[in-house]
Amino acid sequence: MTNKMWGGRFSAGPAEIMGEINASIDFDQRLFAQDIAGSLAHCAMLADRDIISKSDAGEIKRGLEQVQSEIEAGSFTFSRGLEDIHMNVEARLAEIIGPAAGRLHTGRSRNDQIATDFKLYVRDVIGLLDDQLAGLQAGFVAQAERHAATIMPGFTHLQSAQPVTFGHHCLAYVEMLARDRGRFEDARRRLNQSPLGAAALAGTSFPIDREQTAKALGFDSPARNSLDAVSDRDFVLETLAAASICAIHLSRFAEEVVIWSSAQFRFISMSDKFSTGSSIMPQKRNPDAAELVRAKAGRIIGALTALMVVMKGLPLAYSKDMQEDKEPAFDALDNLSLAIAAMTGMVEDMEPVADTMRAAAAAGFSTATDLADWLVRVAGLPFRDAHHITGSLVALAEEKRCGLEDLSLADMQSVNKAITEDVFSVLSVESSVASRTSLGGTAPENVLSEAKNWKRALKD
């Protein structure tokens, strides 16, 4: 079937395979609200500039509002023969109000129309993601406040390193998510220029007011170059880059949930809300939600990579390749939203197993650095000497199959005579975390203070 909207140029209808590859309505129909919002703003401007009559503008507005109601009610029939959301809306508008519908497209093109629609959509999604990320931050902050003094091992190379607190660990993710929110906000700020009125690529000879339509749609200003306005998708790329980094942060915590909830670690317990059983092993409780969050990071990163490859070789201005920008972006942003929601639920649901974590924090000579610091601070040794002496004491404790705190004073003095009874005051995990009072340190008083600051910031 020839598309009557542009069929005057062609004498025969497209081959079936052309119709299949060309149509985008199956996925871009979700842009209907943004498309209609852009059309309403454009219509009002055309009337204000006397490019179309007030009566035609009134009819167009009435018709567009009816189209939106039909789509929202689920009674609208989308046609693949009409290719995209723009043509589907315009065709139905023509059915409702007649020939006046054709005046709506004056001074614009589908090129600036889709760029406008997509910017509006991405901007809306960024707002939603920001709210979700703030909620996830609040979940981590609540855990930090409850567990400011709950001791756990801190790891490097997944090896026990130094004792930290569970609250401090949670606040690390609050900081990461804050940067994620900042990246999305940066992307939103840069995308907030309106392409509408750039037309196909060169602007238009009609006396349109692009400032008016930009303001009506909540943009900061019109885009300043018509070629750039219709041909670039860096606003999608930047948003997907922010989404990918955010997904990596979610994936890192998801990995920790998988590890911590295992029988080998048993650092946290999770309810059945975010776990599943095994079809054959009745004892299993699998952290499927965390595993799926972890997997979705690859999907989101893949969307960014796909669009970068689409865009990398395109000459100015618009090319049909850019139709491939929407599906991966929709999928990635949908899945990021789902991952954030799932992670928020898991963070609120998880309960640290304090005794297990404290025992693990005490293992592996995790207070060795505290011993070295004591030798510097009290015995006055250079740190490199203190490091060497501490290593010798660790070797002695390994030989005796005990912890550093279980060595006798005589054992310690056999390595260095300067060691006194006071050294035992720094060898417990509680003493270790309490001593880390430097800015950003894990001391419980620091954690409570930072949790309070974040609660206030999130509320504001």
Side-chain angles (χ1 to χ4, degrees), residues 33-43 108 116-117 120 196 213 217:
Q34 290 82 9
D35 193 70
I36 291 172
S39 290
L40 287 169
H42 187 67
C43 174
R108 73 174 184 183
T116 302
D117 292 359
L120 291 173
L196 192 57
T213 52
L217 293 169

Side-chain angles (χ1 to χ4, degrees), residues 333-353:
L333 298 175
D334 286 349
N335 278 281
L336 180 61
S337 177
L338 179 58
I340 296 169
M343 185 58 73
T344 302
M346 283 185 278
V347 168
E348 293 172 350
D349 183 72
M350 68 183 179
E351 188 61 41
V353 182

Side-chain angles (χ1 to χ4, degrees), residues 214-427:
K215 183 177 179 180
L217 293 169
F219 288 108
D220 295 330
S221 64
R224 304 296 299 180
N225 184 283
S226 60
L227 284 167
D228 176 59
V230 301
S231 68
D232 208 278
R233 291 297 183 268
D234 57 358
F235 68 94
V236 191
L237 288 168
E238 187 171 5
T239 302
L240 289 177
S244 297
I245 297 170
C246 181
I248 289 169
H249 289 154
L250 298 181
S251 182
R252 293 184 73 179
F253 189 71
E255 171 72 0
E256 292 185 321
V257 169
V258 171
I259 293 170
W260 292 350
S261 61
S262 68
Q264 289 73 24
F265 272 73
R266 207 168 59 82
F267 281 7
I268 60 171
S269 62
M270 302 281 290
S271 76
D272 292 342
K273 294 178 184 177
F274 296 97
S275 306
T276 63
S278 165
S279 63
I280 191 171
M281 295 168 283
Q283 82 280 11
K284 293 291 293 298
R285 177 179 279 178
N286 299 321
D288 283 11
E291 291 170 354
L292 287 166
V293 167
R294 186 175 60 186
K296 286 184 184 299
R299 191 166 174 171
I300 294 164
I301 295 166
L304 170 62
T305 302
L307 185 53
M308 287 194 293
V309 172
V310 167
M311 296 300 300
K312 71 175 182 62
L314 299 187
L316 295 182
Y318 181 84
S319 296
K320 193 69 170 182
D321 311 52
M322 292 163 66
Q323 183 168 292
E324 292 298 310
D325 59 356
K326 293 165 204 66
E327 282 186 286
F330 292 156
D331 183 78
L333 298 175
D334 286 349
N335 278 281
L336 180 61
S337 177
L338 179 58
I340 296 169
M343 185 58 73
T344 302
M346 283 185 278
V347 168
E348 293 172 350
D349 183 72
M350 68 183 179
E351 188 61 41
V353 182
D355 291 346
T356 304
M357 288 202 299
R358 196 246 177 241
F365 309 107
S366 64
T367 58
T369 304
D370 298 275
L371 173 55
D373 288 347
W374 183 92
L375 288 167
V376 172
R377 189 173 59 251
V378 178
L381 297 175
F383 184 80
R384 287 302 174 199
D385 293 345
H387 186 282
H388 179 77
I389 291 166
T390 301
S392 298
L393 289 168
V394 168
L396 180 60
E398 284 181 325
E399 182 182 327
K400 289 179 172 288
R401 297 177 181 272
C402 67
L404 284 172
E405 69 277 14
D406 299 318
L407 290 173
S408 68
L409 181 59
D411 288 333
M412 291 199 175
Q413 289 178 337
S414 71
V415 176
N416 188 277
K417 295 293 185 184
I419 298 175
T420 67
E421 190 77 33
D422 180 64
V423 74
F424 293 99
S425 67
V426 301
L427 295 181

